[in-house]
Amino acid sequence: MKYEVRCECGKPFSVTGADAGTSLKCGCGRTVEVPPLHQLRTAAGQNVLSPALRVETLLLEGKLPGTRKCAVCTRETDGRSRVAVECARGILKDDGSSRDQIAAGCLFGLLFGGAVGLFGANRIMSGESANLKAVGQDVAFTLPLPVCEGCQPTVTKPTELRTALRHIPDYAALLDAHPDAKIVLLG
Ligand SMILES: [Zn+2]
Ligand SMILES: [Zn+2]
């Protein structure tokens, strides 16, 4: 597995686990320390852990579903189904800002869903997460899914919705991270 470390000047270096703990010489003259393997893994874990964050961000930017192809028959369509995906128990930060709630909630679900055990334990115990507390609310995304009018009657059950959602790569990643997510058609 390859990891990326950056010099203070911004130049990225691709390293492997075998380089952990060594140092590199950057063209700018600085020495770049390659962190120990567990730190490299933790850093890489942030990328692995991000499907929920990514979906959240793309939703806010209006970039989903990112395709006009019907998720069933693949014909171009302006038809949209709205699908609710409840991906985890909500986690509230004490200060309670809503974006952090969603992000943390989904991360939490992922960590303890067992998909990526190792890095997760670190992160949840680190100070970053210390002020999180679980509350009994589910966190839900409302995902726009392109489905043409002809196909809409055929995609209403959770199993059918799940299959259709998987045609959108970012939704597929979210569902992989949250295999127990509840899926409901909103309309
Ligand atoms: Zn440099
Ligand atoms: Zn269709």
Side-chain angles (χ1 to χ4, degrees):
M1 169 152 183
K2 292 216 180 277
Y3 304 93
E4 188 183 277
V5 293
R6 271 176 198 276
C7 176
E8 279 173 50
C9 73
K11 185 171 172 8
F13 292 87
S14 179
V15 299
T16 68
D19 301 315
T22 64
S23 55
L24 305 166
K25 196 82 182 164
C26 179
C28 72
R30 292 183 179 88
T31 300
V32 184
E33 305 286 344
V34 182
L37 189 56
H38 70 273
Q39 281 182 29
L40 288 173
R41 284 193 172 139
T42 303
Q46 289 168 358
N47 296 329
V48 177
L49 292 172
S50 63
L53 267 176
R54 184 174 159 79
V55 166
E56 166 74 357
T57 307
L58 291 172
L59 279 176
L60 286 171
E61 291 172 354
K63 289 188 182 153
L64 286 172
T67 174
R68 293 181 60 238
K69 283 188 179 165
C70 171
V72 182
C73 68
T74 74
R75 274 194 292 255
E76 297 253 318
T77 178
D78 289 322
R80 290 284 180 279
S81 291
R82 287 186 317 125
V83 183
V85 175
E86 293 183 2
C87 70
R89 287 281 176 180
I91 307 297
L92 279 179
K93 260 187 171 173
D94 285 337
D95 67 9
S97 77
S98 63
R99 284 206 56 192
D100 285 351
Q101 284 167 30
I102 291 170
C106 292
L107 288 178
F108 193 85
L110 177 53
L111 298 182
F112 290 90
V116 199
L118 288 181
F119 341 99
N122 259 330
R123 285 174 61 74
I124 231 53
M125 311 225 179
S126 69
E128 187 184 340
S129 305
N131 56 349
L132 298 177
K133 60 182 179 187
V135 294
Q137 291 173 349
D138 286 323
V139 177
F141 291 105
T142 300
L143 304 178
L145 181 69
V147 183
C148 73
E149 269 179 41
C151 291
Q152 279 176 9
T154 71
V155 199
T156 56
K157 296 198 189 89
T159 49
E160 297 160 350
L161 289 165
R162 185 181 291 269
T163 304
L165 284 168
R166 295 194 72 87
H167 285 85
I168 314 290
D170 288 307
Y171 297 170
L174 182 70
L175 294 175
D176 284 342
H178 301 280
D180 298 329
K182 263 194 279 175
I183 299 174
V184 181
L185 180 66
L186 298 177

